Amino acid sequence: MTLSALQDMMRLLARQLTMIRIVRYGVLGLLLAGFLGASFTTQEWARQTTVLVSVAALVAWVILLIGTTRLTREVQTGSLLLSTGQLDEAEVWLKRAIERFSLSIQGKIYACMELASLFVRQERYVEVAAVCRTVLRQPLKRLRHVFVSARLMLADSLLELNQLNEAYEAIRPVYDEELSLHDRMRLLPIELRYALAVDRPDTAVESLEEKVRIAELLDSRQAALVHALLAEACRRRNLSDKQAFFTKRAKLYHDLEPLSKRFSVITPLLEGTTGASENT
């Protein structure tokens, strides 16, 4: 899917979500009108008309609910394919779910989040940002976990694109939310990368014990990245003992060389260890 095709799909999605809200309120309004009309009208023809309108609205509602069930299956299939690494097939199913008209706003939002996760796997960060921004334009009061997840993915992608001001604006509202442990685990490497990108190592080394406890819960690659980011922050603050400690811990979790190719901010750590090895 090209970027222009994705943008067209996101515009279609926005129109669909608006239409879904109109249809929902319209059908409910017809049902209410039918109920009130049948209850209070005295003329037989008027009562029959309101009953027919109510039945038609109910039938339309049921038909749309069947489409919602189909959308749910498509999202589940796309998610399963994504988890097994079948990205092209997953994209087809998720695209189908997003473009299909149904009454499920939540189902379409979840399809978008799965699509954004797919783009993260493909390192297509412009596309991730486009999808997350579309999601965040929707009312998400009942989907606060989606709100947090979309903002974290958006901030991460904007950091990859070196759009630091936009990344800050994306991540700032997250701190106003009550975060789960899972959300805090996702937030930690993002906020450390941002702090180092704007040269705020003092912020990065705040609450070190808590950050280390969270880092120890991450998978080995992410744990290594967090420890390496903390080591780099300590290096910039001239905290040589802590720098050595975090660098050593990072190497226990994962080889830092491939990580440094992905996250250049930790490259000075490798240069320092390489120089030390040569001197030895």
Side-chain angles (χ1 to χ4, degrees):
M1 185 189 308
T2 63
L3 178 59
S4 61
L6 175 65
Q7 291 170 337
D8 289 341
M9 186 170 69
M10 291 297 101
R11 284 191 287 268
L12 172 64
L13 173 67
R15 292 194 297 269
Q16 282 189 354
L17 294 178
T18 300
M19 184 59 66
I20 289 169
R21 295 184 179 96
I22 293 173
V23 169
R24 281 182 170 183
Y25 288 120
V27 171
L28 290 175
L30 287 174
L31 289 173
L32 180 59
F35 173 77
L36 294 175
S39 300
F40 296 103
T41 188
T42 57
Q43 297 181 345
E44 186 63 25
W45 67 268
R47 180 173 297 178
Q48 291 177 352
T49 300
T50 54
V51 169
L52 287 174
V53 170
S54 299
V55 170
L58 188 59
V59 170
W61 186 269
V62 171
I63 292 173
L64 290 171
L65 284 179
I66 293 173
T68 297
T69 303
R70 185 179 300 175
L71 179 143
T72 301
R73 287 201 301 268
E74 289 171 346
V75 175
Q76 291 174 343
T77 301
S79 179
L80 178 62
L81 291 169
L82 177 60
S83 66
T84 56
Q86 302 177 64
L87 303 187
D88 292 338
E89 293 83 354
E91 183 176 323
V92 171
W93 282 91
L94 294 172
K95 180 175 180 290
R96 188 180 303 167
I98 292 171
E99 292 179 339
R100 179 184 302 281
F101 186 85
S102 78
L103 287 177
S104 178
I105 293 177
Q106 181 172 309
K108 287 187 172 292
I109 294 296
Y110 284 150
C112 286
M113 295 304 294
E114 292 293 335
L115 184 63
S117 298
L118 184 151
F119 289 144
V120 170
R121 295 272 293 273
Q122 296 175 331
E123 299 184 5
R124 297 166 62 183
Y125 299 110
V126 175
E127 286 85 347
V128 176
V131 174
C132 290
R133 281 173 170 147
T134 299
V135 170
L136 290 169
R137 291 190 191 103
Q138 305 305 316
L140 297 173
K141 290 183 179 180
R142 297 181 181 180
L143 297 170
R144 303 311 294 175
H145 62 290
V146 172
F147 174 83
V148 172
S149 183
R151 287 203 167 273
L152 290 177
M153 277 199 284
L154 177 58
D156 181 66
S157 298
L158 292 171
L159 284 175
E160 293 289 347
L161 298 170
N162 201 34
Q163 299 179 20
L164 301 183
N165 292 335
E166 292 85 350
Y168 171 77
E169 291 300 324
I171 201 173
R172 182 182 54 79
V174 171
Y175 293 98
D176 298 328
E177 300 293 319
E178 185 174 346
L179 300 179
S180 66
L181 177 60
H182 177 68
D183 291 332
R184 291 165 62 196
M185 290 166 62
R186 294 181 61 194
L187 173 62
L188 180 57
I190 296 173
E191 65 180 359
L192 289 176
R193 286 168 56 207
Y194 174 77
L196 293 177
V198 296
D199 199 22
R200 291 291 306 275
D202 52 328
T203 302
V205 297
E206 290 178 354
S207 306
L208 275 178
E209 291 183 4
E210 180 182 358
K211 289 175 179 175
V212 170
R213 283 197 298 269
I214 295 175
E216 290 173 347
L217 300 175
L218 299 171
D219 63 72
S220 60
R221 185 175 184 275
Q222 286 290 91
L225 174 61
V226 168
H227 281 86
L229 292 170
L230 291 174
E232 172 59 15
C234 291
R235 186 191 70 82
R236 297 187 189 185
R237 291 290 311 276
N238 295 318
L239 302 173
S240 56
D241 291 342
K242 290 183 178 179
Q243 175 194 343
F245 171 77
F246 286 122
T247 301
K248 183 178 179 180
R249 289 287 296 270
K251 291 179 178 180
L252 291 175
Y253 282 109
H254 198 279
D255 184 7
L256 293 187
E257 186 172 350
L259 274 181
S260 67
K261 294 177 181 177
R262 175 72 173 75
F263 302 100
S264 59
V265 67
I266 66 172
T267 301
L269 297 177
L270 292 180
E271 293 173 349
T273 55
T274 301
S277 300
E278 290 177 352
N279 291 334
T280 302

